[in-house]
Amino acid sequence: MTVTKNDLVREVVDATGLTATDSKKIVDTLFNTMRATLASGEEVKLSGFGNFTLRDKRPRPGRNPKTGEPVEISARRVVTYRCSLLLREKCGG
């Protein structure tokens, strides 16, 4: 099962009794804050859930899967997620 933003909004409505509009603003604000924090180069740590960090990847050789032609994969910055021990235990890992 996949959890969507709308599912999160419904959970906030159920848990708090707020309106759907207010709950959507809360969920959107949370994600916007996470995006802005990561974009500024900082980590996002959510206690009991996990850490979102940025990692710089170096350029590396690759190939076009359609043609087999070699290409260089450019350097880039990616977001990685590592779940907390508490979450790992709850998920049976």
Side-chain angles (χ1 to χ4, degrees), residues 1-39:
M1 181 176 141
T2 301
V3 177
T4 65
K5 275 175 70 171
N6 283 335
D7 294 333
L8 294 174
V9 169
R10 277 189 239 116
E11 286 294 323
V12 172
V13 168
D14 293 343
T16 64
L18 294 172
T19 65
T21 304
D22 289 341
S23 297
K24 184 175 182 339
K25 287 178 186 176
I26 290 170
V27 172
D28 286 340
T29 300
L30 171 70
F31 285 117
N32 289 337
T33 302
M34 289 176 65
R35 273 189 216 103
T37 303
L38 289 166

Side-chain angles (χ1 to χ4, degrees), residues 12-86:
V12 172
V13 168
D14 293 343
T16 64
L18 294 172
T19 65
T21 304
D22 289 341
S23 297
K24 184 175 182 339
K25 287 178 186 176
I26 290 170
V27 172
D28 286 340
T29 300
L30 171 70
F31 285 117
N32 289 337
T33 302
M34 289 176 65
R35 273 189 216 103
T37 303
L38 289 166
S40 71
E42 298 178 59
E43 296 181 358
V44 174
K45 296 183 179 193
L46 301 175
S47 180
F49 185 73
N51 299 330
F52 295 88
T53 57
L54 290 172
R55 193 173 126 207
D56 292 317
K57 294 185 116 183
R58 298 184 308 213
R60 63 188 193 280
R63 67 176 184 83
N64 181 332
K66 203 174 203 178
T67 63
E69 176 183 327
V71 293
E72 177 152 324
I73 300 170
S74 60
R76 60 192 179 182
R77 180 172 270 183
V78 296
V79 176
T80 60
Y81 169 74
R82 183 173 175 132
C83 70
S84 71
L85 292 174
L86 181 65

